[in-house]
Amino acid sequence: MITGELIGSGRTADVFALDEGRVLRRYREGEDASGEAALMTHLAGHGYPVPRVWPGPSASELVLQRLAGPTMLQALGAGTVGAEEAGAVLADLLRRLHAVPPRTGAGRVLHLDLHPDNVFLTPDGPVVIDWDTADEGPPGLDTAMSALILAQAALTMPAVAPVARAVLTALVRGLGGTDGMLLDAAKARRAANPTLSEDEIAALDGAVALIRSC
């Protein structure tokens, strides 16, 4: 399959343009993406906002709907979306996700990386991308992971720290507080993530404390 320009890169994958309506997501280490495609199809079937997905030319590739609009992170940076609204949208997306029936019956569907750079704000509403970390389990792990990612950004990324802290506060408020969050389990999962920097790992204790202070 002929790909166009590189239009996005994350910690584990690159995204290339295919045409006006589709992109190709390719995992650098050859990760099998078939489970991700099946999950996205399952979510779409239950009305959850994900991009349309088609099989890629290899097991480590997905063909995805090309989404119109900025990411939530871009919108926050441009000032077109406020932190209060962003936190409320993230909380709503998490609640809606955890209401979807699981595929295997072992808990609820969890994204485990739901943060502003993984939400596109399209003309039809927010759409959640990057499902490679998804799993099934207790919703409190998912909410804790989203909060922890924001808290780490607030402590390690000076350029976005004030916004990240404000979005975190709004997210915690939108979720009704931190009582249901599995923060210790989320911290352990983040600490074991090989793509995190030393600074991000060192900030985990402070990030948990920041969340609990919200």
Side-chain angles (χ1 to χ4, degrees), residues 192-211:
N193 187 332
T195 70
L196 294 192
S197 68
E198 291 182 3
D199 287 345
E200 287 174 311
I201 292 175
L204 280 169
D205 285 337
V208 170
L210 178 59
I211 295 166

Side-chain angles (χ1 to χ4, degrees), residues 35-66:
E36 185 177 352
L39 174 59
M40 293 174 66
T41 300
H42 171 77
L43 291 168
H46 289 276
Y48 194 79
V50 295
R52 292 192 299 275
V53 60
W54 301 270
S58 75
S60 63
E61 297 174 320
L62 290 175
V63 176
L64 299 165
Q65 174 189 3
R66 188 167 187 172

Side-chain angles (χ1 to χ4, degrees), residues 83-196:
E84 187 72 27
E85 180 182 356
V89 169
L90 290 174
D92 182 63
L93 287 169
L94 285 163
R95 281 193 298 269
R96 290 170 61 189
L97 175 60
H98 302 153
V100 174
R103 292 180 64 219
T104 66
R108 312 306 296 180
V109 179
L110 313 180
H111 186 282
L112 299 174
D113 197 26
L114 185 48
H115 56 75
D117 206 26
N118 280 340
V119 178
F120 267 82
L121 301 179
T122 78
D124 296 322
V127 177
V128 180
I129 63 169
D130 287 1
W131 291 88
D132 58 306
T133 59
D135 203 344
E136 292 185 3
L141 177 59
D142 212 8
T143 56
M145 288 293 288
S146 290
L148 195 55
I149 292 166
L150 288 167
Q152 283 180 288
L155 296 177
T156 65
M157 302 173 67
V160 301
V163 172
R165 187 180 293 257
V167 176
L168 170 64
T169 300
L171 170 66
V172 171
R173 185 185 304 117
L175 292 170
T178 63
D179 286 348
M181 292 185 183
L182 301 179
L183 288 169
D184 289 340
K187 175 187 167 185
R189 188 180 181 98
R190 289 289 284 173
N193 187 332
T195 70
L196 294 192

